[in-house]
Every structure is written in structure tokens, then in C-alpha cells.
Amino acid sequence: MADAALVLTGPPSLAPLLARGALLSPFKRPAPDAEFPRTRLVLPGLRVDLARLAAYERVCGFPTGEDALPPTYPHVLGFPLAMRLMSGRDFPLPLLGLVHTSITVTRHRGMPATGAYELAVRVEGLAPHRRGTEATVVTEVREGGDVVWESSSTYLARHRTPRPAGAPGAPGAPGAPGEEVRKPLPTVAEWRLAEDVGRRYAAASGDRNPIHLHPLTARLFGFPRAIAHGMWTLARCLAAHGTPDSCHVRAAFKAPVLLPGTVTYAAENGRFELRNGDERAHVAGDVYPA
């Protein structure tokens, strides 16, 4: 049965959704066979706030002032709709501590920053993961009735599970983005990341997950310091790499980037990585023409 569509009159406000998700998190019982919301949220007639877009471009390293959306910005536009779904009572995974583990993006053509778009977001399903349960959230952006951008993101809720290591969807499992055994990528640049990167990205994107904002709130979830948003690390890599108007991107978020910190950006032939001083990958992915 097709998902029922709920048409919204405006973007949901993120602060109440974050608060609702936080309050409901202790009562969630995540499991891969749990029921999940089947509603597809639709937001027509969306126009981009150019001031927020410029703040996003600055924090991520994209050029500013161009009439073009960066390849990752539609994720920001769809985030409030995804949050409405994931903060609801009928979403089985706790919002607090939810980890973005991977994303695939297809941009079918260039997207003017001054265009009008229709967003649609839905939860596609749940799957077992060796560390818990993973949800897949799909976002589509239409312009003039045509899909011009689409993505599929996975979010992990950690909990006890008998799922063995090497199960599909687990880090290191065959077929996961960026997990193929390939020759090391050559270093392109070293980036020193300031302590406030998480707060600056949160202000530009609206994603104010406490693990990104301050060492004290990050410690509540087991991190010694605040960590960078996964989508910031991907955006920063794509800003350095460059993307054609029509492109396909996939990325796996492998390890948190602690703030402040120093990371190495490596890239070659469409592949890219962000690594730490021990050569451990934080994010690995590729980009190629669609």
C-alpha cells in the first residue's frame, strides 16, 4: 500500500520537535520489526532563505552568492520534515543518541537557490544492525513536477542485539558505502577544526543535537567532547572535491570527529575520505556523474 500523504502549509518548527523527541526517547523500545510511521510528509512551494543558505555555505566551505544550491543543502531543507517523523510517538527509535550512519544522494540537475521546490519525506523502513536498529529516511525534492534531488539516509539507534558482526548494514559489512578494500587515497589537505564548528553548523542547519554543541552535553551520550555533524563532514569534503550539476554521492559516517581537532582530507578519482592522525576514516565516500 502506498504511503498516505500529509501536505504541510509550512516547515515544522525544530525546537518543539527536538523537545518532544527528547521527552519521548526514554519510552521508546527500538526493534527492527517494530511498527513505524507510514505517512509521507509533503511541503509544496518552498523557497530558500538566502541568508541561512549563505551561513551554511560559509561554515561548510562552499562559495557564497551563487544562484545554486550546494549538493547537500536539500538535506537541510528536508530535515524539519524528517524530524517531525522521527520525533513522533509512532517512530520506534529514540531521537536522543540517534546516529546518522550513511547517506546516498542523487542530484539530477543543478538547483537554483531562487527556485521554488516541493519536499517529500518518508520513513522507508527499519533494519537490523549489529549495534541495534537502523531506520531509512528518504527525501525527494521536486521542481515543476520533476524529481531534481533525492536521498536515502540511515540512522542507527544503539541497543543490545544478538545480530552478529558482518551482518548487512553493519560497519565493515560487504557492500557498505566506502567499505571496499582499495588502495589508500593521497592526502590533499589538513584541516584544523575549531571547537565551535558544531554550534555554527547547528545555527545554519537547525540540527541542534546536543552531541554537537558542547562537551558537557556530548558527555551525556558517551563522547569526551562535542563531535562534528556527519553532514558537515560530508559537505566540507564535497566543497573541496567539487560536484557536477548531475551527480551521485554516497558516504558512510564511520567515526566521530571530535572538536576541536585536526583531520586530513584525501581524495582521488571521485573517491574521498576524512581521516584522523592515525589514518582512521571518519567519513568515506565517492561522487560521480549521474
Side-chain angles (χ1 to χ4, degrees):
M1 181 182 297
D3 295 336
L6 175 62
V7 180
L8 307 178
T9 58
S13 177
L14 279 168
L17 297 178
L18 287 166
R20 180 177 70 173
L23 291 172
L24 292 176
S25 286
F27 304 100
K28 298 299 181 76
R29 298 293 180 266
D33 59 351
E35 284 299 312
F36 59 90
R38 309 285 176 159
T39 302
R40 181 170 59 95
L41 298 181
V42 179
L43 178 60
L46 177 69
R47 290 194 175 273
V48 173
D49 182 326
L50 298 182
R52 282 194 64 190
L53 172 62
Y56 176 90
E57 290 168 336
R58 285 192 294 269
V59 73
C60 295
F62 292 106
T64 59
E66 298 181 355
D67 187 20
L69 295 182
T72 46
Y73 197 69
H75 175 87
V76 172
L77 299 176
F79 184 69
L81 280 68
M83 282 293 300
R84 175 162 171 171
L85 291 172
M86 294 192 290
S87 65
R89 292 182 180 276
D90 53 352
F91 186 71
L93 309 186
L95 188 64
L96 287 183
L98 205 61
V99 179
H100 196 181
T101 50
S102 74
I103 187 171
T104 62
V105 169
T106 300
R107 183 171 64 180
H108 297 281
R109 62 178 186 238
M111 302 173 65
T114 52
Y117 300 100
E118 179 184 275
L119 286 171
V121 179
R122 71 182 190 276
V123 179
E124 188 169 74
L126 305 177
H129 185 284
R130 72 182 182 94
R131 293 181 179 174
T133 299
E134 218 167 39
T136 298
V137 178
V138 171
T139 301
E140 294 179 338
V141 182
R142 286 180 169 81
E143 183 183 29
D146 297 328
V147 175
V148 293
W149 188 97
E150 53 192 316
S151 74
S152 177
S153 283
T154 55
Y155 296 90
L156 171 66
R158 298 177 182 177
H159 59 85
R160 289 186 178 181
T161 172
R163 193 77 178 177
E179 293 290 354
E180 299 92 334
V181 178
R182 308 181 192 178
K183 69 175 185 177
L185 296 176
T187 296
V188 176
E190 185 177 88
W191 297 334
R192 294 184 179 181
L193 310 182
E195 185 268 341
D196 68 345
V197 164
R199 292 190 293 275
R200 291 171 56 212
Y201 183 84
S205 69
D207 184 353
R208 299 182 183 276
N209 188 320
I211 62 177
H212 305 303
L213 303 181
H214 193 277
L216 291 178
T217 53
R219 287 189 195 112
L220 296 175
F221 299 94
F223 298 102
R225 304 196 299 276
I227 65 172
H229 296 71
M231 285 303 296
W232 178 85
T233 64
L234 173 58
R236 185 67 185 88
C237 287
L238 293 180
H241 187 283
T243 54
D245 284 346
S246 177
C247 63
H248 185 78
V249 176
R250 61 176 186 166
F253 305 114
K254 297 165 165 289
V257 175
L258 296 174
L259 300 171
T262 301
V263 293
T264 298
Y265 168 67
E268 186 177 53
N269 296 330
R271 294 172 54 210
F272 59 86
E273 284 184 346
L274 205 60
R275 302 191 295 246
N276 65 11
D278 298 327
E279 295 301 300
R280 182 186 184 191
H282 295 292
V283 59
D286 47 48
V287 54
Y288 50 90

